[in-house]
Amino acid sequence: MTAYLQFDQVSKHFSGVRALAGVSFDAHAGTVHGLLGENGAGKSTLLKILGGQYRPDGGRLLVNSVPCQFNSAADAIRAGIAVIHQELQYVPELTVTENILMGRFPARFGLIDRNKARRMVLQRLSEIGVDLDPDARLSHLSIAQRQMVEICKAVMQNAQIIAFDEPTSSLSYTESEILFRLVRELRSTGHTLIYISHRLEELYSLCDACTIFRDGRKIVTHPVMAQVPRETLIHDMVGRELSDIYGYRPRPLGAQRLQVRGLRGKNDPTGCNFSVRGAEIVGFFGLVGAGRSELMRLLYGADRRLAGSVLLDGVPVPANSPPAAIEAGILLCPEDRKEQGILAQASVAENINISCRRHDLRVGFFLRRNKEAARADFFIDRLRIKTPNRDQEIRFLSGGNQQKVILARWLAESTMKVLILDEPTRGIDVGAKNEIYRIIQEVAEQGCCVIVVSSELPEVLGIADRVLVMRNKEISGVLDRSEATETAVLNLALAA
């Protein structure tokens, strides 16, 4: 049987750097085809070619045996292709309805029929099982809610081919279950689905077949994914064995360094209290909306503190001032790296050096470019950041490598005493996760306090010395590593 979607020797280069090299595989109607590989392996580049954002340098794409060449995303949409990218494509100041129906509004007497548009979106959201206000602006929604808007947009395009790039990276358990049900429904109605995820349990649950990428090349296609052992997939992806991905190492803990007392922001019912010892890794777990990210932003001074205090080594940290927090030694890698973590148009070197410049990189009104270059090269090598050079714009790097650049920025800070990592491995492959966990262990061993916020329970259990569980913007329980089991943590996260 001829495949509905075929990639035939597809290649792509950027400024002489190979992103894809002669990739060929087929995807059949009524199936889910998984794409696996480390960050920078070429998966997202392939989807951008499928979605019309990039044109291939070589090879061809066939849809229903017909060669296709797309010059824009609009061409791909007209051909019945919808791609939900990892970096969401939306207009923050427009409403849910406007984002979903952009360019496809129903008209009446030559004018946009906004009432009909609202009814259409409300009906489809209800059918999918998503509770969203169609009149809400995207800027007022959480990342998870914006992700569901993108998914609804793709479904309402009536596409025959739908590609998902890390769709659950910011979704709650309930939202993920809605997505899984939707994927299975689309498969049962004959759609051709491409699914990228670094969560192997999702891939085993959803995918019929899979193709594995490494360094821009196709390594292998497994026609029946359920028959492939997990260890084989990981080895195919990273080219090496990863027996213990977390690499937890016990270490002597110091005295209390960070003390948080009664910290409360807008809409918080009560203040939060906790402390972190020197060299300790504390994991924060909770369901989406539990208040973890909001608490970290209060601690960092990014959101307005209404009550409470933060002490570091017994010295109060000024409220509502990220520069003061950085000067004191509290550093934050935010959940939304695209909007809050990176300077998209700046180079890798500039993103690494942007904070520590204030210490020693200025001579009069000039920057010490040689020192900046050496610092960037050092961290590119230490963190194994995949980039053609230090001058590459960071927006062209994969999500995992962007995350490493943000980590490098804070590792370059001589003031670091508390490192807060909010969803540090969201959308990151298993090999890059292993490297980030190694860095976390090294930072803790230097005596720093490390706080890791994660929606992946195995990650929290794998790396933390203690686990703090949040529910309804409050800390509902604290568990030592020896007590922290999946059952115990979920009981605290879900208990009425």
Side-chain angles (χ1 to χ4, degrees), residues 218-239:
K218 185 193 87 170
I219 300 302
V220 65
T221 292
H222 295 291
V224 183
M225 184 170 177
Q227 297 178 358
V228 186
R230 178 188 179 97
E231 294 74 18
T232 300
L233 291 181
I234 293 176
H235 183 271
D236 287 343
M237 281 191 288
V238 303

Side-chain angles (χ1 to χ4, degrees), residues 64-85:
N64 202 15
S65 300
V66 178
C68 296
Q69 182 171 301
F70 304 136
N71 296 314
S72 66
D75 288 348
I77 291 171
R78 281 191 289 269
I81 298 170
V83 179
I84 303 168
H85 295 284

Side-chain angles (χ1 to χ4, degrees), residues 165-405:
D165 191 353
E166 293 290 346
T168 62
S169 61
S170 59
L171 299 186
S172 68
Y173 174 82
T174 302
E175 290 161 333
S176 295
E177 288 298 311
I178 292 172
L179 172 67
F180 299 156
R181 175 173 53 80
L182 180 61
V183 168
R184 294 185 178 106
E185 288 176 0
L186 292 168
R187 175 174 56 188
S188 69
T189 52
H191 289 75
T192 303
L193 305 173
I194 303 293
Y195 197 95
I196 295 178
S197 178
H198 294 305
R199 298 177 178 178
L200 294 183
E201 64 276 8
E202 286 181 19
L203 296 166
Y204 275 112
S205 173
L206 295 174
C207 295
D208 303 286
C210 71
T211 295
I212 297 177
F213 290 71
R214 191 194 311 151
D215 297 327
R217 297 184 180 276
K218 185 193 87 170
I219 300 302
V220 65
T221 292
H222 295 291
V224 183
M225 184 170 177
Q227 297 178 358
V228 186
R230 178 188 179 97
E231 294 74 18
T232 300
L233 291 181
I234 293 176
H235 183 271
D236 287 343
M237 281 191 288
V238 303
R240 62 188 187 277
E241 300 295 334
L242 290 177
S243 55
D244 178 14
I245 185 176
Y246 301 111
Y248 175 82
R249 300 190 295 265
R251 73 207 79 78
L253 303 184
Q256 286 188 1
R257 297 200 69 181
L258 177 68
Q259 294 176 292
V260 177
R261 295 290 176 262
L263 194 60
R264 184 169 65 85
K266 184 180 179 182
N267 299 324
D268 293 346
T270 60
C272 287
N273 300 279
F274 68 94
S275 60
V276 185
R277 298 169 66 181
E280 185 177 25
I281 302 172
V282 171
F284 271 79
F285 181 79
L287 305 181
V288 172
R292 299 162 302 160
S293 296
E294 293 84 350
L295 178 60
M296 297 306 129
R297 288 176 59 82
L298 286 172
L299 178 56
Y300 181 65
D303 288 341
R304 185 164 177 262
R305 186 193 306 173
L306 298 184
S309 62
V310 176
L311 283 79
L312 185 55
D313 292 331
V315 178
V317 178
N320 313 324
S321 172
I326 293 171
E327 199 64 46
I330 299 176
L331 312 175
L332 170 67
C333 292
E335 176 187 17
D336 190 344
R337 58 176 169 260
K338 179 182 177 182
E339 292 191 6
Q340 301 171 356
I342 64 171
L343 302 175
Q345 307 296 326
S347 69
V348 171
E350 288 173 308
N351 271 276
I352 290 174
N353 286 289
I354 191 68
S355 179
C356 62
R357 277 176 174 168
R358 71 189 194 283
H359 293 306
D360 56 2
L361 296 184
R362 291 185 179 276
V363 178
F365 293 102
F366 300 98
L367 299 176
R368 294 180 180 175
R369 295 295 184 185
N370 290 339
K371 190 166 186 178
E372 280 201 352
R375 192 190 301 270
D377 288 342
F378 172 79
F379 283 106
I380 287 170
D381 180 65
R382 178 184 171 188
L383 273 62
R384 302 171 192 167
I385 299 169
K386 292 182 180 178
T387 178
N389 53 63
R390 74 176 87 92
D391 297 319
Q392 174 81 337
E393 288 186 22
I394 192 173
R395 62 193 175 99
F396 293 119
L397 270 59
S398 67
N401 285 297
Q402 290 178 2
Q403 187 74 298
K404 289 183 186 179
V405 171

Side-chain angles (χ1 to χ4, degrees), residues 128-147:
I128 295 174
V130 178
D131 182 18
L132 280 177
D133 179 2
D135 300 320
R137 295 188 184 278
L138 268 287
S139 58
H140 298 160
L141 301 183
S142 68
I143 296 176
Q145 291 170 322
R146 297 175 197 178
Q147 180 77 282

